[in-house]
Amino acid sequence: MSKPRDPVAGPDSPEPPFPIRLSGPVIKGFGRGSKDLGIPTANIPADDLSEKHPELTTGVYYGVVALDPKTYHHETSEGSTSTAVVLPAVLSIGYNPFYKNTVRSVEIHIMPALTQPSPTAAGQEGHTKFNRLPDFYKTRLNLLILGYIRPEFDYVSLEALVEDIRVDCEVARESLLREAYKCYIVDSGKTSGKVSEDRAWLVSFD
Ligand SMILES: Cc1cc2nc3c(=O)[nH]c(=O)nc-3n(C[C@H](O)[C@H](O)[C@H](O)COP(=O)(O)O)c2cc1C
Ligand SMILES: Nc1ncnc2c1ncn2[C@@H]1O[C@H](COP(=O)(O)OP(=O)(O)O)[C@@H](O)[C@H]1O
Ligand SMILES: [Mg+2]
């Protein structure tokens, strides 16, 4: 039995090099996320990252995303909105050692709003149902990476990989619920200059 993982990752507020801004159109991956794992991941090109942050190690990270509302219509109780909605995310940057990819990919799993119950919480009945939205291929996605969780691993089984990603979702959620991270999702009106700037960038799609 492996030892339990820490419930949160990273310091109490983002420290350099975070937040890291990444942006790109959602592209096709290998089609394994949903089909093999039951975990959809929006893939975006990795070129931008290699250019601007060559030092960033491969691994699993958490952050916040926004989708271009011109092509992605987010339904709320008030109907669809024209402003981008900011949602929590967990992502993997690397070569997916379990699948032995030869090219580096950036794959983002978008989680439900922090105000909603977590579908990946421990002790749920049956097997975990990860968050699923209507497809949004080709939509522009803006991402702020806020913290690092762990390196990428190879696994003895698909089930072991899925279970670790489930825990990643919970670690990301708990980490983002901290005040200095939550302010990137929920605009409390009290946010400082740099946070407001990053948040404004996140929801801007020209
Ligand atoms: C939070 C998260 C953590 C991941 N960790 C690993 C990992 O440790 N090892 C690995 O081989 N793949 C990891 N993956 C990648 C999955 O294997 C990948 O999402 C899957 O291969 C789907 O790829 P596709 O988008 O090309 O279909 C992770 C994915 C996510 C979203
Ligand atoms: N919660 C979600 N997070 C990320 N992508 C999602 C989510 N729900 C649905 N999707 C859609 O599923 C696609 C990813 O599915 P996936 O099986 O990983 O395919 P691919 O290998 O083409 O990336 C995304 O591009 C997006 O359109
Ligand atoms: Mg994917």
Side-chain angles (χ1 to χ4, degrees):
M1 199 58 196
S2 52
K3 72 173 170 54
R5 292 177 44 187
D6 287 340
V8 295
D12 285 341
S13 60
E15 285 176 10
F18 306 113
I20 289 175
R21 295 179 183 186
L22 260 190
S23 187
V26 175
I27 55 173
K28 283 265 173 197
F30 293 99
R32 297 169 183 143
S34 310
K35 233 185 293 141
D36 283 9
L37 307 175
I39 311 168
T41 55
N43 297 37
I44 61 168
D47 329 0
D48 207 20
L49 186 66
S50 318
E51 220 173 88
K52 294 195 188 125
H53 293 277
E55 78 294 348
L56 200 70
T57 58
T58 57
V60 179
Y61 295 83
Y62 57 90
V64 293
V65 298
L67 297 170
D68 189 345
K70 287 196 286 301
T71 46
Y72 184 76
H73 305 284
H74 184 89
E75 295 296 327
T76 67
S77 49
E78 286 91 45
S80 76
T81 63
S82 57
T83 36
V85 180
V86 177
L87 288 167
V90 64
L91 64 140
S92 121
I93 299 175
Y95 299 89
N96 299 357
F98 184 74
Y99 289 106
K100 304 184 172 46
N101 290 354
T102 52
V103 288
R104 188 160 81 142
S105 63
V106 177
E107 309 185 3
I108 304 146
H109 175 65
I110 303 178
M111 304 191 293
L114 297 176
T115 47
Q116 287 179 15
S118 171
T120 48
Q124 306 276 65
E125 292 278 320
H127 79 103
T128 309
K129 268 196 105 132
F130 289 82
N131 192 35
R132 166 131 236 140
L133 305 164
D135 276 359
F136 49 88
Y137 285 110
K138 295 188 180 156
T139 295
R140 244 186 77 202
L141 182 154
N142 289 344
L143 165 72
L144 279 177
I145 308 177
L146 297 174
Y148 173 80
I149 302 182
R150 63 172 176 90
E152 285 194 301
F153 297 122
D154 194 357
Y155 290 88
V156 291
S157 67
L158 193 74
E159 290 70 29
L161 169 62
V162 172
E163 172 57 14
D164 238 10
I165 299 177
R166 184 193 70 74
V167 178
D168 291 330
C169 293
E170 289 306 294
V171 172
R173 186 182 158 92
E174 289 304 318
S175 301
L176 290 166
L177 276 166
R178 295 176 293 180
E179 283 310 318
Y181 291 88
K182 206 162 65 176
C183 55
Y184 288 91
I185 301 184
V186 189
D187 195 353
S188 68
K190 299 188 293 200
T191 48
S192 72
K194 182 69 171 72
V195 175
S196 304
E197 234 173 74
D198 282 323
R199 218 180 170 280
W201 171 84
L202 188 66
V203 295
S204 63
F205 295 93
D206 305 321

